[in-house]
Amino acid sequence: EVQLVQSGAEVKKPGESLKISCKGSGYSFNTYWIGWVRQMPGKGLEWMGIIYPDDSDIRYSPSVQGQVTISADKSINTAYLHWSSLKASDTAMYFCARADGIRSWFDPWGQGTLVTVSS
Amino acid sequence: NFMLTQPHSVSGSPGKTITISCTRSSGSIASNYVQWYQQRPGSSPTTLIFEDTHRPSGVPHRFSGSIDSSSNSASLTISGLKTEDEADYYCQSYDSSTLWVFGGGTKLTVL
């Protein structure tokens, strides 16, 4: 079974750093794209970026470029989303999802990681 | 850049048919594939339709997708409504600069 399992919920203070993870199993992790999608409280889905683990080709949405870093460690089938300095506005649910092409569809999705940033 | 506009909400009775539209603000709706995702409360999204009209295995035939170039929109039709269909529905397509674009989502209420 193809699965993406994300790391657990986080509560952080503004200015702190954070890296959340997304571990793939049941398929060849290197040869599928992994995307990240943000969902702010009560709001819709927003695409953040996507990475191809085999060569770390990364594309970012202009709305988050410079605010987050996407990476992957193909040796452990894991993709990451990293913030160096969190803001309260980063409070959201974050989903990772697999795609078989850079212009494809997301399937499956991870279970989501809730990030709460509050002083 | 373009936007995908969906109605905020739609409703229908069990057994009936509803349609959710997804209108592209600029450029042709037919120039890039459209996907549809379902997100039940408290759950991750799941794929209902990919490449305009195709259903992943396991998605019931009650769900169908279409494209209408005259209105520059895509549509998701759900027939034989069930209470379990109550969820948020999102369309998604591609843009040359921002790559992936999601619609704002539509809340379906099954009365």
Side-chain angles (χ1 to χ4, degrees), chain B residues 56-98:
Chain B
S57 60
V59 173
H61 284 65
R62 304 187 295 109
F63 295 89
S64 62
S66 62
I67 294 292
D68 180 3
S69 295
S70 65
S71 60
N72 212 35
S73 63
S75 293
L76 172 71
T77 299
I78 309 174
S79 59
L81 269 179
K82 300 184 177 185
T83 54
E84 69 203 47
D85 297 334
E86 199 159 276
D88 294 325
Y89 293 83
Y90 295 90
C91 60
Q92 174 256 312
S93 189
Y94 315 105
D95 177 90
S96 57
S97 56
T98 57

Side-chain angles (χ1 to χ4, degrees), chain B:
Chain B
N1 293 10
F2 66 87
M3 294 172 53
L4 295 173
T5 300
Q6 300 179 232
H8 290 295
S9 63
V10 299
S11 62
S13 302
K16 298 298 186 185
T17 297
I18 64 96
T19 297
I20 298 172
S21 62
C22 171
T23 302
R24 179 165 168 156
S25 62
S26 62
S28 171
I29 191 72
S31 61
N32 300 101
Y33 286 127
V34 175
Q35 281 63 238
W36 289 92
Y37 302 95
Q38 177 192 62
Q39 186 180 30
R40 292 193 172 105
S43 296
S44 308
T46 59
T47 310
L48 284 178
I49 300 289
F50 67 92
E51 293 184 347
D52 298 341
T53 61
H54 299 277
R55 278 183 306 276
S57 60
V59 173
H61 284 65
R62 304 187 295 109
F63 295 89
S64 62
S66 62
I67 294 292
D68 180 3
S69 295
S70 65
S71 60
N72 212 35
S73 63
S75 293
L76 172 71
T77 299
I78 309 174
S79 59
L81 269 179
K82 300 184 177 185
T83 54
E84 69 203 47
D85 297 334
E86 199 159 276
D88 294 325
Y89 293 83
Y90 295 90
C91 60
Q92 174 256 312
S93 189
Y94 315 105
D95 177 90
S96 57
S97 56
T98 57
L99 279 182
W100 297 59
V101 179
F102 284 98
T106 299
K107 182 177 180 61
L108 170 61
T109 302
V110 181
L111 305 165

Side-chain angles (χ1 to χ4, degrees), chain A residues 12 23 51 62-63 73 75 80-81 93-94 103 106 109:
Chain A
K12 293 288 190 179
K23 184 174 177 63
I51 185 168
S63 66
D73 184 344
S75 69
Y80 301 97
L81 184 61
M93 180 71 83
Y94 293 87
R103 293 172 185 267
F106 284 138
W109 296 61

Side-chain angles (χ1 to χ4, degrees), chain A residues 13-87:
Chain A
K13 292 183 174 6
E16 291 186 333
S17 64
L18 175 65
K19 182 183 274 191
I20 62 175
S21 66
C22 169
K23 184 174 177 63
S25 62
Y27 72 99
S28 176
F29 183 79
N30 291 2
T31 58
Y32 286 81
W33 295 79
I34 294 286
W36 288 95
V37 175
R38 176 170 66 187
Q39 187 168 39
M40 293 179 171
K43 301 298 184 183
L45 305 175
E46 179 186 6
W47 178 74
M48 300 178 71
I50 196 165
I51 185 168
Y52 190 68
D54 196 46
D55 61 4
S56 289
D57 184 1
I58 306 170
R59 315 295 172 88
Y60 291 98
S61 167
S63 66
V64 304
Q65 177 95 45
Q67 310 302 310
V68 297
T69 303
I70 293 170
S71 62
D73 184 344
K74 60 185 180 180
S75 69
I76 54 171
N77 292 357
T78 302
Y80 301 97
L81 184 61
H82 173 249
W83 294 261
S84 58
S85 180
L86 286 160
K87 308 181 187 68

